[in-house]
Amino acid sequence: MKKVIIGKDEVLEKVLICLLARGHLLIEDVPGVGKTTMVKALAKSINLSYCRMQFTPDMMPSDITGITLYNRAQEKFIFKKGPIFNQIILADEINRTSPKTQASLLQAMEEAEVSIDEETYQLKKPFMVLATQNPIEYQGTFPLPEAQLDRFLMRVSLGYPGVNEEKEIIKNYQESKWLNKITAVACEEEIIEMQKEVDEIYVHEDILHYIVGISNASRSHKDIHLGASPRVSIDLYRGSRALAYIKNRDYVIPDDVKKIVPYVLTHRLILSAEARIEGRRAEDIIKDVLKRVHVPVVSGNEG
């Protein structure tokens, strides 16, 4: 993926964390910085079924989940599966469609299944949704509701590249290198096996207490109207395990948790009216939350 997304190793690491933790990723940034290209690079790097859905204002839930049609020849109704039945889903510009259509992703993202006409269909694993959106200041967008945002394990932003990185991007484009050099380096079975190995990463009781402490501190902060839910605590637990695995450790350290907190919490917190009026940023408030929580001293596979 580094062949295509230049100078954004930190962001690529978060993509990998979400994949290994069986989570979903929200990529928010201005147009043209490589959001869609990054997801395509991921899809080409792993040998899984892939589909890109371009969200538009007139898109319907059935365009995602599928539709039941009557087959005259067979004289029965047949369910035609929608694009959600792939394994890597690119939901491009998800905030360009209506809340009703956005909500059709909820069950798939949470339970890896889809219910249509009283029938429930299991989605093939591994399953991951990577949604892109432009900032809500732009016209023609529908902000994602809290319930939808809560289904994304992390939110990342690519940002503009540096001068040298942008020059390299231009060269790659001119020489038609982009996605052509990427070949699959992992298959379905290998990804599932890695996810199982992540589940075996050791988490000390003090680390669990640290995670819960961060969530509790966000709930009582004066600048936060709605703090972290128990699902956030679970996602911090899952994400920190995946990061430890990437760092080639079989145990989680406090820095693993601390490093992913901004990416897991920022899009889920609802700031108080006073904080919004004062122009406070969720990122700054999270830093304050972290300062209030005691950091445990845990090293190695204790216990």
Side-chain angles (χ1 to χ4, degrees):
M1 292 176 67
K2 291 181 181 179
K3 296 175 182 177
V4 176
I5 306 300
I6 299 168
K8 300 295 179 183
D9 293 359
E10 282 287 319
V11 176
L12 298 183
E13 181 182 76
K14 304 306 178 296
V15 175
L16 189 55
I17 288 173
C18 285
L19 176 64
L20 295 177
R22 302 183 182 89
H24 308 287
L25 182 67
L26 180 62
I27 310 163
E28 182 179 282
D29 220 320
V30 295
V33 294
K35 300 186 298 292
T36 304
T37 302
M38 182 174 70
V39 181
K40 288 181 179 178
L42 173 67
K44 291 197 70 174
S45 298
I46 50 181
N47 191 22
L48 303 177
S49 61
Y50 162 75
C51 181
R52 175 182 179 271
M53 293 186 285
Q54 178 63 54
F55 281 68
T56 57
D58 60 348
M59 196 173 190
M60 300 294 291
S62 58
D63 294 329
I64 298 173
T65 58
I67 191 171
T68 302
L69 302 172
Y70 183 72
N71 188 307
R72 290 187 177 182
Q74 300 180 22
E75 295 185 348
K76 65 177 182 180
F77 287 95
I78 296 176
F79 176 62
K80 184 179 180 182
K81 293 181 177 180
I84 196 65
F85 285 88
N86 287 278
Q87 292 171 288
I88 298 294
I89 306 294
L90 168 56
D92 214 355
E93 296 188 299
I94 191 173
N95 60 334
R96 295 251 176 226
T97 195
S98 68
K100 180 180 180 181
T101 304
Q102 292 171 355
S104 64
L105 284 171
L106 280 174
Q107 184 185 13
M109 293 174 66
E110 182 66 18
E111 303 169 18
E113 62 183 28
V114 174
S115 296
I116 304 291
D117 298 331
E118 300 182 356
E119 290 286 337
T120 300
Y121 302 88
Q122 297 295 321
L123 300 177
K124 191 174 183 181
K125 297 178 182 180
F127 172 74
M128 183 180 183
V129 174
L130 299 100
T132 72
Q133 71 169 9
N134 298 326
I136 59 174
E137 300 92 89
Y138 285 78
Q139 295 182 349
T141 60
F142 300 85
L144 291 173
E146 288 77 14
Q148 185 76 51
L149 285 171
D150 203 32
R151 264 57 178 192
F152 289 100
L153 192 151
M154 288 185 172
R155 182 180 70 176
V156 299
S157 176
L158 283 168
Y160 290 112
V163 174
N164 293 332
E165 288 82 6
E166 190 161 0
K167 286 163 62 178
E168 189 65 27
I169 289 170
I170 294 172
K171 289 178 182 178
N172 283 356
Y173 179 78
Q174 287 179 332
E175 297 169 19
S176 302
K177 291 180 179 178
W178 285 98
L179 295 169
N180 298 333
K181 285 191 174 183
I182 296 182
T183 55
V185 294
C187 64
E188 177 181 310
E189 293 77 15
E190 290 171 321
I191 296 296
I192 292 175
E193 183 59 32
M194 285 189 282
Q195 290 176 338
K196 290 179 180 178
E197 290 174 355
V198 169
D199 293 339
E200 299 300 319
I201 298 294
Y202 175 74
V203 183
H204 193 276
E205 190 71 21
D206 288 348
I207 297 290
L208 288 177
H209 189 75
Y210 182 49
I211 289 172
V212 173
I214 292 171
S215 296
N216 280 330
S218 73
R219 297 165 193 161
S220 59
H221 197 284
K222 65 180 181 65
D223 289 329
I224 299 176
H225 175 67
L226 185 63
S229 67
R231 182 184 280 119
V232 173
S233 299
I234 293 171
D235 285 350
L236 284 173
Y237 176 74
R238 295 160 57 201
S240 59
R241 274 179 152 185
L243 179 56
Y245 181 81
I246 291 171
K247 298 299 183 181
N248 200 29
R249 275 187 276 102
D250 61 359
Y251 58 91
V252 173
I253 61 174
D255 280 350
D256 294 329
V257 179
K258 193 173 182 179
K259 186 173 182 179
I260 67 170
V261 163
Y263 303 96
V264 176
L265 259 71
T266 304
H267 60 291
R268 287 154 151 173
L269 301 180
I270 298 180
L271 304 188
S272 65
E274 293 81 3
R276 293 197 300 271
I277 291 171
E278 293 172 2
R280 298 291 306 276
R281 297 169 62 246
E283 292 84 354
D284 297 328
I285 296 173
I286 289 173
K287 290 179 182 178
D288 189 41
V289 167
L290 288 172
K291 290 178 182 178
R292 301 183 180 197
V293 183
H294 172 70
V295 181
V297 179
V298 178
S299 63
N301 193 0
E302 297 181 11

